[in-house]
Amino acid sequence: MVKWVGFRTATLDVQHDVRKAGPSSYDLHRLFRLALDIILAHSDKPLRLMVKAGLAISLFALLMAAYTALRWAMGEIIVLGYASLFVSIWFIGGVLMCTLGVVGLYVGKTFEGVKGRPLYIIEQRA
């Protein structure tokens, strides 16, 4: 990402000393927040996982709907509407999760596009 700014870069070997000030002030909670910030700022994997989870929940709801219809046809369901209510809620929830993930991916792609960053960084020309 430093190269996108346009400055020249170089490497420098550094030998780090042992920490003198005691233990780090970063506890587990701060480390978790830092990791979450890095994942969310530099990746679209959480959005892709949301799309996949939404599809999986919707597929599970459709399978449960087929199972409920089969049980109804066999006469095993006594209370009508109870199972179909849960199936429909799960299906709509999965569709909403999937849709939110897709919208998030579109917003992320648009955000990346308006930054004006180059697709490739060429170090040298032949």
Side-chain angles (χ1 to χ4, degrees):
M1 294 175 79
V2 173
K3 290 184 179 184
W4 283 330
V5 178
F7 299 112
R8 290 185 180 179
T9 59
T11 59
L12 181 64
D13 292 330
V14 177
Q15 185 175 4
H16 294 281
D17 288 335
V18 179
R19 184 178 173 91
K20 297 176 186 174
S24 174
S25 64
Y26 269 73
D27 57 355
L28 188 61
H29 179 63
R30 278 187 175 177
L31 287 172
F32 181 75
R33 280 186 23 212
L34 176 65
L36 189 63
D37 286 343
I38 291 171
I39 289 170
L40 294 176
H42 301 291
S43 176
D44 62 349
K45 285 198 186 287
L47 294 172
R48 291 182 188 275
L49 286 174
M50 188 166 188
V51 170
K52 290 177 184 177
L55 288 174
I57 289 172
S58 295
L59 179 65
F60 176 74
L62 289 175
L63 291 174
M64 288 306 295
Y67 176 70
T68 303
L70 181 67
R71 286 187 58 206
W72 176 79
M74 295 172 57
E76 296 178 5
I77 294 181
I78 299 170
V79 180
L80 296 176
Y82 183 73
S84 62
L85 179 67
F86 280 104
V87 167
S88 62
I89 289 173
W90 278 79
F91 181 74
I92 295 297
V95 169
L96 284 174
M97 278 182 66
C98 184
T99 304
L100 281 174
V102 169
V103 169
L105 287 171
Y106 275 123
V107 169
K109 295 290 182 188
T110 303
F111 180 65
E112 288 296 324
V114 299
K115 285 182 182 178
R117 292 182 175 163
L119 293 177
Y120 302 101
I121 298 172
I122 300 171
E123 187 173 336
Q124 292 181 356
R125 288 189 178 195

